[in-house]
Amino acid sequence: MTNGFKFGGYKGQMLRVDLTKKAVTKEPLREDWARDFIGGAGYSARLLYDEIPAKADPLGPANKLLFMTGPVNGTMIPAASRSTACAKSPLTGSFFHSIFGGYWGPELKFAGYDGLVVEGKADKPVYLWIDDGRIEIRDASHLWGKNPFKAQEMIRQEIGDDQIRIATIGEAGEHGVAYAIILLDIRAAGRGGMGAVMGSKNLKAIAVRGTGSVSVPNVLRVYNTALRLNQVVETNPAVMGLSEYGTPRNVLSMNAAGILPTRNWQTESFARAEGISGETMKETVVKGHRACFACSINCTKYSVVPSGKYKSIINGPDYETVYGFGSICEVDDIKAICKVDEVCDEYGIDLIQASMSVAWAMECYEKGIFTKADTGGLDLTWGNADAMIHLTEMIGKREGLGALLAKGTREAAKIVGKGSERFVISNKGVDWPGHSCRPWPGTAVGYATGPRGGSHHDIRPTLEKSGAVDRKVLEGKGAMAAEVNHWLILADSAVVCHLAEPIWGPAKVSDNLVDALNAVTGWNLNYAEARKIAERQWNMIRCFAAREGFTRTDDTLPIRFMEEPVPDGPMKGSLISKETLEGLKDQYYEYRGWDKKTGNPSKAKLTELGLEFAIKDIC
Ligand code: SF4
């Protein structure tokens, strides 16, 4: 294998850049960690547990930013496009893995590295140029303040190659907006504020050119595995809908089922959902499809609004955008949503978090907590698309009310008070994606206990939503959530895309995921061994949080979900009361072998998983 590394799929080498010392080093990937934590989120959690001191300032030089691939990433296995950007998050204050697709991750591997650790802080704006084995730290003073697309264009011109892959931050990342993103090709590391961490290091961009390849022990075995898994993709109706309409494919069916979150989650039915559906998108703005590396699903749409006040060109919008800036703000104009999507990308901010901040402000305005004196004259009435776009620009610039919202809704509500905490739809500082949980107790406990709070990629609603599991039964839902956690974290360590859920999920670590890992690495993992790795990864992330001081009380849901039942529609009356949630948490901790009082992994569990080194920190 490459660099004499024992296992297939890996390059066997990590790149480390210390921006304070302007030092670049190459170091071996640890074989024991590769076997115990795979790569991506799992490997990153293990490495950053050792290297980021407890209580480090997320935006200080002691925090580290780790871009990590996995063994499957960069091979022909379907949807093997993904990689992770990991750090201590300025939003949550704990370990965060932000997943991204596109081409940047595979390119890093082709350049010869499984991962890139960025540490310290440059004394002025810089960008990294990784050209296979040659690494340069270049001046980026002229790029600072440029939007990510402009910065990418300028770097491509400087280097004289329009095929290189570039990760870039926008103004939001430069200014420490807590939910700044990193833009990479057609996708983004969108959640958890990884762009703010990158900006805090004065790092504007990372350009990569890789001309190598990924070695596997038996190409024919990988080819046959990819062929078989691609057949699952090509014949699954859910995936076919994803190809045709993108992730907004289910807007109308979700609305009909009463699970399309609306008006900052005051209800879950939107009377004007037609305007933001995948079908409307396809008819009015979508001009083409975009695929990530090795993915035949093509879920990303390329949309153009050619003229008028909403003139824009974007890769998207995704479901989370049409939810957040659509039904959540009661806006039904898909062109306005394209425009606000473009604004978010140009400033480099997380669409979900930005839209939920705007919705929180709209509800404050509805309830009289904000007046035009607070909003800079903006009329934040539900459905006012122009005000929504304007306020989003203010977040990007950190101007007026935008400066408050740039802190995230949880922090904004702490400052404003007056009962506005009730309108915060967040857990651990991360605002909610467009997936309901009031009707689904297993999903609810998954959200509550998830290390990333409001993340629909620490839990999936598929089992309860599809009826495969009786949604009204509480018993067994803690175990269900834990097993769903396992397939998700293993996928995030391999690294493959969750949207190909029919291949990798939805109930537990699937044989397909184990087959893909074995084919690429040459391992012979069985189901129990793969599940154990996933359990170890999940516990590792929990140890990080526990060391930062997180406890059982941080595993919670938004007040609205615990106290305000869905008021109308098919899910009318649905609610996860505080009492129900606490019972579900007991189930979850017990199934995991965690201490019910603290929510921390027990000594016995840590010993069983080979995580004894964390006992002194959290037990
Ligand atoms: S399903 Fe979509 S996001 Fe996932 S790898 Fe394929 S194109 Fe990219």
Side-chain angles (χ1 to χ4, degrees), residues 51 144 210 224 231 233 309 338 388 414 508 523 529 567:
E51 296 200 9
W144 209 248
N224 285 331
Q231 280 163 1
V233 169
K309 63 180 176 178
C338 288
M388 174 185 82
K414 273 186 200 162
K508 62 187 179 73
W523 295 337
E529 290 165 335

Side-chain angles (χ1 to χ4, degrees), residues 78-82 100-102 186-187 239 242 247 290-300 318 496-500:
S81 66
R82 299 241 143 190
F100 59 90
I186 60 169
R187 306 294 308 181
V239 175
L242 205 51
T247 47
R290 294 277 189 271
C292 301
F293 181 89
C295 186
S296 55
I297 298 175
N298 292 316
C299 83
T300 304
D318 285 333
V496 293
C497 180
H498 292 172
L499 291 178

